[in-house]
Amino acid sequence: MNPEPDSLASIFDGAFARMRQAREVFAPHLAPREVGTIASIATGIAKVTGLPGVGFEEVLRFPGDLYGIAFNVDETEIGVVLLGDYWELHAGDEVERRGHVMDVPVCEGLIGRIINPLGRPLDGGGRIVSSARLPIERAAPPIMDRAPVTVPLQSGIKVIDALIPIGRGQRELIIGDRQTGKTTIALDTILSQRDQDVLCVYCAIGQRASAVAKAVAALREKGAMDYTVVVVTEGNDPPGLAYIAPYAATSIAESFMQAGRDVLIVYDDLTHHARAYRELSLLLRRPPGREAFPGDIFYIHARLLERATHLRPELGGGSLTALPIIETEAQDISAYIPTNLISITDGQIYLSPSLFELGVLPAVDVGKSVSRVGGKAQRAAYRAVAGDLKLAYAQFEELETFARFGARLDENTRRIIEHGRRIRACLKQPEFAPVSVPAQIAVLLALTANLFDAVPLERMADAERAVRDAAAGIPAQVCARFETAAELNDDDRRTIIEVARNALAAFHPLTEVGAGPEAQVEVKSGAKAAIEAES
């Protein structure tokens, strides 16, 4: 049945009335939009004209959803660092101002994800939804907002926790030649934070895709991605992305620090970061300085690492610990970038190629490594043994050179050398195998009590493992004191040493099986055999 004409007319009249009302209410809002054009394109940069109101480090948008940062703001043109593939850009293309500086999303949803410095996911895990964003460049916390570094950051690596300790809020440089295990130390430290309530941010700067994949696979296999954010730029990415990567990662870490969390950030490595910045600076015609680096290369690293700190309790008490990695060439730690980073940080862990070639892993050179802060935060149980251990190890390294020449050595010198060899053997550690605090203290106390000196050198690895396994038998009340500032009393030390002595009983010189007491034959220890061989 067709509707009546009068009803159709009323429907149309009502619709037109509503349209008329909407048209009368509508007021157009005009907003000025500043648009410029590309004057020229080069590798990773663009020269732009026609944006008189642009500010330093402001984000610009190019065709194809490509972004850039205004780096050189000159009178007639702007030098822009591009943050993506620029193959589709051409001179004459439009450029639009965004009105804000570069920022990155920050949220709990980033934990366990792999992203690039723009906050875009690289792991195929779906889009990251965040309600907050932070600028990648932020002022470091003022001095009055900082608290002393008092809590240790356990790396799980015996030689570091005992002799080069790191505190939460410290900046400790990892330095060494290529392929000496720098990344392994950083990853071991991340793995050691399980159950320590420390979030981790791993920032890979200009690394090979295969190296990044291997590091992420190790973190995923050990379950460390449950508390880790990975920020990645690969070697074939534009230099602009490599430049902003550590700043973006630091802003993500700072968001957790400001929420009262303890955070560890690894920059792997700042050598690639410095080279990316040098490339951009030279392309933008900035004047070169020493080794062709621009004059502000020290400042870009200083303003990055100064953001690592321990906040006062009134501000949440969070901390940000930085482990920057730097690569040396031919063991030259006096080069420009290494000396810059050494002067900015609170100490360095130096990895020696010589020790690496000898199979002493991790290849930490204790003599050239130092921690200027961590000793204040080191647990009292470590401090009780670390001083004697470092002195004995230093004496051994001095005397070891003479022993190689076959010089005739007195009994005391031989004893020092044999003890030092056992210290070195105990400080060896395979990758991705962090050691717990009770196990470390049991091994260190056994070393200072000379319990390992009677163990043959070729059996040291098994003996050290036996002591670590036996540490599970240390009474709970003694283990509880490891986590406090209280020093171990004599009874505690005796208890631990007794546990270690029982574990090492099977590795001491044995007697001939089946022989009577009168016919027992002593088997020479490695130390005694070495002394007699030298005689």
Side-chain angles (χ1 to χ4, degrees):
M1 181 176 171
N2 294 329
E4 295 294 330
D6 291 342
S7 61
L8 282 175
S10 62
I11 291 173
F12 282 124
D13 289 342
F16 287 134
R18 285 192 294 274
M19 292 169 63
R20 188 182 307 108
Q21 184 180 4
R23 186 196 64 192
E24 292 171 353
V25 170
F26 174 74
H29 295 284
L30 299 179
R33 192 166 69 96
E34 209 170 303
V35 177
T37 56
I38 299 176
S40 64
I41 292 283
T43 306
I45 67 158
K47 298 290 181 68
V48 175
T49 59
L51 294 173
V54 74
F56 178 61
E57 292 192 344
E58 183 177 340
V59 175
L60 305 178
R61 184 173 182 176
F62 292 80
D65 202 29
L66 175 67
Y67 292 91
I69 301 175
F71 237 50
N72 281 7
V73 183
D74 299 327
E75 187 175 354
T76 57
E77 66 178 12
I78 303 148
V80 181
V81 171
L82 300 175
L83 303 178
D85 293 330
Y86 46 87
W87 318 117
E88 302 298 327
L89 297 182
H90 303 91
D93 287 348
E94 282 193 355
V95 184
E96 179 188 352
R97 286 182 60 190
R98 300 297 291 168
H100 62 85
V101 296
M102 191 66 210
D103 54 19
V104 66
V106 292
C107 63
E108 290 282 336
L110 290 173
I111 299 175
R113 300 299 301 272
I114 304 170
I115 62 172
N116 72 0
L118 302 176
R120 296 170 181 167
L122 301 176
D123 54 4
R127 188 166 165 267
I128 294 171
V129 180
S130 172
S131 59
R133 299 182 72 90
L134 284 180
I136 63 169
E137 291 271 15
R138 306 178 70 210
I143 294 294
M144 298 307 294
D145 289 349
R146 303 182 183 220
V149 175
T150 55
V151 180
L153 181 92
Q154 294 297 129
S155 69
I157 302 172
K158 290 170 287 186
V159 65
I160 294 177
D161 291 340
L163 305 180
I164 319 154
I166 303 170
R168 296 187 185 182
Q170 185 175 344
R171 303 158 298 176
E172 185 77 7
L173 180 66
I174 302 174
I175 182 170
D177 283 10
R178 291 182 69 249
Q179 301 297 319
T180 51
K182 301 185 296 297
T183 300
T184 300
I185 283 185
L187 294 179
D188 274 341
T189 306
I190 291 176
L191 296 181
S192 186
Q193 305 316 308
R194 170 177 289 280
D195 303 324
Q196 299 294 317
D197 196 26
V198 176
L199 292 177
C200 302
V201 179
Y202 177 70
C203 179
I205 308 168
Q207 299 289 322
R208 298 190 313 275
S210 59
V212 176
K214 181 181 176 183
V216 171
L219 294 174
R220 208 184 294 279
E221 180 186 348
K222 302 293 184 178
M225 287 300 292
D226 296 341
Y227 52 88
T228 303
V229 182
V230 179
V231 181
V232 175
T233 59
E234 297 175 359
N236 59 345
D237 285 336
L241 276 181
Y243 168 69
I244 69 169
Y247 299 102
T250 305
S251 289
I252 293 170
E254 277 183 328
S255 69
F256 294 118
M257 176 183 71
Q258 291 170 346
R261 308 286 295 272
D262 291 316
V263 188
L264 167 67
I265 185 166
V266 174
Y267 304 108
D268 189 11
D269 65 26
L270 292 184
T271 306
H272 288 98
H273 182 247
R275 289 171 182 163
Y277 186 63
R278 175 173 62 183
E279 179 181 349
L280 294 172
S281 298
L282 293 176
L283 288 168
L284 290 170
R285 297 290 188 269
R286 292 187 175 184
R290 179 178 167 186
E291 297 181 19
F293 286 103
D296 61 344
I297 189 74
F298 180 93
Y299 173 64
I300 73 163
H301 286 153
R303 74 174 188 250
L304 170 70
L305 293 171
E306 279 297 322
R307 293 162 70 177
T309 188
H310 178 208
L311 295 177
R312 287 166 41 208
E314 297 83 6
L315 299 174
S319 69
L320 176 56
T321 309
L323 291 182
I325 296 175
I326 203 77
E327 182 184 295
T328 56
E329 296 177 353
Q331 307 179 50
D332 184 13
I333 62 175
S334 62
Y336 187 31
I337 301 302
T339 51
N340 279 356
L341 270 296
I342 287 171
S343 62
I344 293 168
T345 51
D346 307 314
Q348 70 273 353
I349 298 169
Y350 177 72
L351 300 180
S352 167
S354 304
L355 292 175
F356 189 87
E357 291 163 5
L358 291 172
V360 180
L361 302 176
V364 176
D365 188 326
V366 177
K368 293 182 181 178
S369 303
V370 65
S371 176
R372 303 188 187 98
V373 177
K376 299 290 185 184
Q378 194 177 29
R379 288 185 168 93
Y382 281 100
R383 283 200 298 271
V385 297
D388 295 339
L389 200 65
K390 195 163 190 175
L391 179 60
Y393 196 59
Q395 288 177 329
F396 157 67
E397 288 185 321
E398 289 287 334
L399 294 170
E400 187 183 32
T401 307
F402 295 101
R404 288 182 186 142
F405 294 113
R408 188 169 284 277
L409 305 173
D410 61 82
E411 185 68 26
N412 185 49
T413 303
R414 291 173 184 168
R415 196 160 38 246
I416 291 173
I417 290 175
E418 289 301 325
H419 183 57
R421 285 173 178 160
R422 279 148 184 79
I423 294 176
R424 175 179 284 172
C426 278
L427 295 182
K428 287 183 182 180
Q429 191 170 330
E431 64 178 355
F432 308 144
V435 181
S436 66
V437 172
Q440 288 193 39
I441 292 175
V443 170
L444 296 175
L445 273 177
L447 268 176
T448 55
N450 299 326
L451 298 185
F452 285 104
D453 287 5
V455 178
L457 204 55
E458 63 274 9
R459 303 191 69 193
M460 276 298 299
D462 295 332
E464 187 263 346
R465 192 180 306 113
V467 173
R468 284 195 279 117
D469 294 341
I474 297 175
Q477 64 269 23
V478 177
C479 290
R481 277 192 278 278
F482 295 160
E483 306 296 327
T484 66
E487 294 187 3
L488 296 178
N489 56 42
D490 293 340
D491 290 338
D492 294 338
R493 293 171 72 98
R494 275 194 292 270
T495 301
I496 298 169
I497 289 174
E498 191 59 34
V499 169
R501 182 178 284 113
N502 293 337
L504 292 174
F507 298 91
H508 286 172
L510 301 175
T511 57
E512 211 174 73
V513 179
E518 68 282 352
Q520 286 183 348
V521 180
E522 184 182 353
V523 180
K524 295 184 180 66
S525 70
K528 190 176 294 185
I531 291 171
E532 291 186 2
E534 289 178 3
S535 301

